[in-house]
Amino acid sequence: MTDREVWAEAAFEILSGVAGRYHAVMEYAELGAEIQERSGVPTKSPVHNWVPGALRVVAARCVTEGVPPLTSLVVRKDSGMVGDGYDAVLTATGADPIDDEIQREKHAAQSRLACYQWANADGLPADGGHPALTPKLAASVARKAKANPPPPKVCPKCNMALLPIGICDSCG
């Protein structure tokens, strides 16, 4: 068995455990350290050089075994996004690449929900839960939305801003 296969086996086990906690995710560096500890196969190579290869093996295994894409639970520390690494899931499932970052993250959120449901995660609501962006990404999206609020709705007759209840103060 190659190092990559040993690491992939450890990653599968680790991510199966992560799936057991509703809305839980794991950062790449954290996963890399846990893989090395659990597998007993250390490397001095940076995480970004070897973890993606192990995750491609995990993504393929998930498809083969009918398991939701556990690799959707792995996110970047800086943004909370799956990022380009999620393309391995799309490739393994035969889906087209998703260029739009937010659309890719929404797809990953659906995949994470499937993982939590598969694992019957602790904290999973009785209704089966809902897909959600990671907390870090959701906070970033909310900050951007607050900084760029939508323009006010205006009256089609007089072009004045509408009251919050949707009625024009001028036209009635």
Side-chain angles (χ1 to χ4, degrees), residues 9-49:
E9 180 65 31
F12 187 91
E13 292 172 14
I14 293 163
L15 294 174
S16 293
V18 172
R21 296 182 314 275
Y22 185 52
H23 283 199
V25 293
M26 185 173 242
E27 295 172 355
Y28 280 94
E30 182 183 16
L31 176 63
E34 182 72 20
I35 287 171
Q36 289 181 70
E37 183 178 317
R38 206 176 276 199
S39 71
V41 180
T43 181
K44 292 185 189 270
S45 184
V47 168
H48 68 269
N49 286 346

Side-chain angles (χ1 to χ4, degrees), residues 74-93:
V74 185
V75 299
R76 296 185 348 218
K77 181 179 183 175
D78 63 336
S79 64
M81 298 172 78
V82 290
D84 296 338
Y86 190 67
D87 289 346
V89 169
L90 299 171
T91 299
T93 59

Side-chain angles (χ1 to χ4, degrees), residues 4-5 25 27 52-53 58-59 82 88 100 108-110 118 123 130 138 145 156 163 166 171:
R4 178 180 289 173
E5 292 168 331
V25 293
E27 295 172 355
V58 172
V82 290
D100 181 86
Q110 275 294 141
W118 168 79
H130 63 280
L163 295 172
C171 298

